[in-house]
Every structure is written in C-alpha cells, then in structure tokens.
Amino acid sequence: KIHALTLTPDKSALGGTPVAFRFSYSLDGEKWTDDPAEYQLDNVAANPIPQTVALKGTAHVKYVRIRAVRTLAENQALSLAGVELVP
C-alpha cells in the first residue's frame, strides 16, 4: 500500500526528466490500473533532486509504470535515476 512516489532525476540525462507524469500500478504485473491523476515535479530543471509526490489516494501495488506527459526537453524519452514507493 503506497501513498506517494519519490522520483530521482537522472543528472546525466536531465532532458528526459518528467515535468508531468501519470502512472499505472499492478499487483501481478498482468492486470494494470491507471491512476486518473496527472502529477507534477516542481522546478526540477533548476533543482534536480529527489522529489516526493503525494498520490490523490492510496494504491495497493507491487509494480508501477511511469508515463511522461511532458519532459524537460521536448520529445525526450523518459529518464529517471530511481523511483521509490512510499508507504
């Protein structure tokens, strides 16, 4: 059960850092639930440090998928150094 995600930007590929993202989660890696919210990272270009983003609700997860809506550099592939699930 998680209440937040901590995303750590990849300083060697900052252009792929998501400014806005959505995520999906699963308990078995087969059936996925899309979280309907769009989440934001604040001022990540000037301050590329780990950021914790509170979810709109609680999610029961074993697996997560992060999908970038927008990245720092337009048309860049998503790039993160790490994702932490916060209970």
Side-chain angles (χ1 to χ4, degrees):
K1 187 162 72 163
I2 64 169
H3 296 90
L5 298 170
T6 300
L7 282 69
T8 302
D10 181 351
K11 292 181 183 179
S12 67
L14 271 180
T17 303
V19 176
F21 69 93
R22 294 183 182 271
F23 88 102
S24 302
Y25 54 93
S26 174
L27 287 172
D28 60 9
E30 305 263 332
K31 182 180 176 202
W32 291 85
T33 301
D34 293 326
D35 185 303
E38 181 175 299
Y39 297 96
Q40 310 279 323
L41 293 182
D42 295 325
N43 199 23
V44 72
N47 199 14
I49 60 171
Q51 293 191 30
T52 300
V53 178
L55 303 179
K56 304 289 187 218
T58 300
H60 297 273
V61 310
K62 186 172 182 180
Y63 304 97
V64 297
R65 288 182 184 157
I66 307 290
R67 293 182 317 280
V69 174
R70 285 182 311 284
T71 56
L72 279 176
E74 211 171 310
N75 299 322
Q76 288 287 314
L78 174 70
S79 176
L80 289 168
V83 176
E84 181 182 343
L85 308 178
V86 182

